[in-house]
Amino acid sequence: MNILIAGGVSGLLSQLIRKFKKEGHRVSLLTGSRAKEELPERVFEVYRFPYDSDSVRAIFESALPDVTVFLGAYDLNFRWSEGEKASVQFVSALTNLLTSFDLSGRGRFLYLSSEEVYGDDHPEDIREEEPVKPETAKGRALAQGENFCNFFSKLSGRDIVTLRLQHL
């Protein structure tokens, strides 16, 4: 399969690339930044563009991904210490990625979220039905992202999956 990962350089990114390559997939990377950071793993193609770039649509046309993975909550491109500014950048990035994904007309989109959408710590396992109660700008942006992905999937009929990862 052709896999496009959208995310900044991190340990998670390295592990995903390594796993996908080991399984024989062709991996491309959209870094979300123009910075020339050293990549921990070699990939088929590296696209060094911000997520809000007009080039994102062309990247989808070039990479032809069967699966697109947006690191979302685990993307180090977003400086959550900047609060609402990071939230606006995050939602804008997700919007451009989903729109470009939709226009490509192919594949599955995976959005990585986290338990931060639930607010404070929970001593017991959180059930999927539990309503979200984000307490931080990041938590609110992630929850917005989940809602947007769900709405976009219903509206477009496209295969969009949200994965909430805990303690990563």
Side-chain angles (χ1 to χ4, degrees):
M1 283 194 299
N2 293 333
I3 298 177
L4 175 64
I5 302 175
V9 176
S10 66
L12 175 60
L13 176 70
S14 299
Q15 291 298 321
L16 285 173
I17 292 170
R18 191 173 300 127
K19 174 81 170 149
F20 290 143
K21 284 175 55 179
K22 186 176 182 180
E23 293 177 358
H25 303 298
R26 186 176 87 167
V27 180
S28 297
L29 173 64
L30 170 58
T31 65
S33 169
R34 292 194 189 282
K36 294 228 177 198
E37 292 183 80
E38 180 84 20
L39 298 178
E41 295 285 329
R42 289 191 45 84
V43 295
F44 179 76
E45 188 74 52
V46 178
Y47 302 98
R48 297 182 192 278
F49 293 92
Y51 300 130
D52 61 357
S53 169
D54 292 336
S55 299
V56 172
R57 182 175 178 192
I59 291 167
F60 273 83
E61 291 171 3
S62 174
L64 297 171
D66 298 302
V67 176
T68 301
V69 180
F70 176 42
L71 295 187
Y74 305 97
D75 189 336
L76 300 182
N77 284 311
F78 301 99
R79 292 181 179 81
W80 293 107
S81 60
E82 296 178 1
E84 296 304 321
K85 179 180 178 185
S87 296
V88 170
Q89 292 169 336
F90 183 83
V91 172
S92 174
L94 179 59
T95 300
N96 198 33
L97 288 168
L98 283 171
T99 301
S100 298
F101 162 75
D102 186 36
L103 292 171
S104 76
R106 59 181 286 137
R108 169 180 275 181
F109 189 95
L110 300 178
Y111 166 68
L112 301 188
S113 186
S114 81
E115 79 278 3
E116 289 183 65
V117 299
Y118 293 111
D120 59 2
D121 289 336
H122 293 269
E124 297 179 14
D125 289 340
I126 301 170
R127 296 169 39 97
E128 190 173 343
E129 306 82 45
E130 187 167 333
V132 298
K133 294 180 240 164
E135 297 174 354
T136 64
K138 181 178 181 182
R140 286 188 296 275
L142 296 175
Q144 271 185 297
E146 289 183 9
N147 289 334
F148 188 58
C149 285
N150 186 35
F151 174 75
F152 201 92
S153 178
K154 288 178 182 175
L155 184 67
S156 67
R158 300 300 311 278
D159 189 2
I160 301 170
V161 178
T162 296
L163 299 175
R164 240 184 239 148
L165 306 177
Q166 187 175 5
H167 303 300
L168 187 62

